[in-house]
Every structure is written in structure tokens, then in C-alpha cells.
Amino acid sequence: MRWLLVLAILAVGCRYTFIPLDPGRTAFPERAVVSGSLEPVERGAVARINVRRMPEANYLELRWFKEDQLYQERSIWVEAPGTYEARFDRFDDGYYRLLVVIRNSPYLQLEVGTPLVPQPPEVTPPPTNPSELPAPSPTAPATPTPPNR
């Protein structure tokens, strides 16, 4: 009879006592969907920003850079999907970029011009004529000889 009581106590302790790790399906957060283009015009550039989805009304912050310097900043209030335009000044044919920011997060970068990057090193092509190949130099033997003991 005692063993039946012990078995009953142990059986109660073997129940399903943890929460499953699978939380089920969770919904993805609503995110803005933004695309755009940047077209150079005389002494400026025109940005066309296409907002396809905006979960809530918010500002599009447009930051206009020349190289690494911030030149201009604009904000556009967006309540519904659509195409929005903004014009920015260009003083020369240098490298300019437009950064589109929503809620302090960068969403899109558009560029016009050529960035200043270092020139690649010049590489001379290998000779194609076998007579132009350098003569082999005398080298040490391929297998080293063991020292005498």
C-alpha cells in the first residue's frame, strides 16, 4: 500500500509544467516603403521620393550632403502614399548625396556625381611572348639535405 502512495506522489510530479517555446504566429511590424530618384538639373538636383506605404503620418527628413558636409535639410510631412518632390542646390559637379530619414532611421540614400576615391594602382600586363620572360635564377635545392651526425 505504501508503494501505491509513493507512486501516486511521483506521478503527480511528472505533469506538463513548462510553457512551450513556440509563441505562435506573430505579426510583422508595419514599416514604411520608400523609393526614389535623384536627377541633376542646371545648378541643382531634383529628388522624387515615392512613398508606397507609411504606417502612420510622419515626416520624411531629407538631408543633402556635399562630400561629407551637410548642406541643406528639408522635411516633408507625409500622411498618405504618393510621390513627393524637393529641389536642392548644386554648386559644382562634385559628389552629392541625399539621405532620407524616417523616425531617426536612415531609409534611403540617393547619389549624384562621382565620389572621390583613390585611383587603383597601375598593373602591368604579364608578357605574352615566352622570349620576354625573365631567365630563371639559380635557387637552393628543392629538398634540404639532412645534417650529418
Side-chain angles (χ1 to χ4, degrees):
M1 189 70 156
R2 256 186 178 170
W3 64 271
L4 191 57
L5 182 61
V6 170
L7 185 63
I9 291 173
L10 289 176
V12 172
C14 293
R15 294 189 338 180
Y16 185 72
T17 58
F18 66 92
I19 298 173
L21 299 177
D22 182 18
R25 288 185 71 80
T26 59
F28 287 108
E30 287 291 320
R31 294 191 174 132
V33 177
V34 178
S35 63
S37 64
L38 188 60
E39 298 174 20
V41 295
E42 186 178 339
R43 298 192 46 82
V46 175
R48 288 183 180 83
I49 309 297
N50 185 15
V51 178
R52 294 186 184 150
R53 181 175 56 202
M54 187 67 93
E56 59 186 24
N58 211 330
Y59 281 101
L60 287 181
E61 297 174 36
L62 307 176
R63 298 177 185 167
W64 182 243
F65 291 87
K66 179 177 184 336
E67 302 296 336
D68 290 337
Q69 293 287 343
L70 177 63
Y71 262 23
Q72 293 178 341
E73 227 174 338
R74 303 246 171 90
S75 294
I76 298 175
W77 179 251
V78 176
E79 292 182 350
T83 301
Y84 300 89
E85 278 191 20
R87 182 179 167 83
F88 296 95
D89 296 328
R90 281 180 59 200
F91 303 108
D92 55 16
D93 291 333
Y95 173 66
Y96 292 85
R97 63 190 171 99
L98 176 70
L99 188 64
V100 179
V101 178
I102 302 173
R103 284 189 227 109
N104 293 326
S105 296
Y107 260 75
L108 180 66
Q109 178 172 310
L110 304 171
E111 302 170 345
V112 65
T114 305
L116 293 176
V117 295
Q119 293 294 326
E122 289 187 25
V123 177
T124 58
T128 56
N129 188 358
S131 64
E132 295 176 4
L133 293 174
S137 61
T139 60
T143 58
T145 57
N148 293 334
R149 293 192 179 198

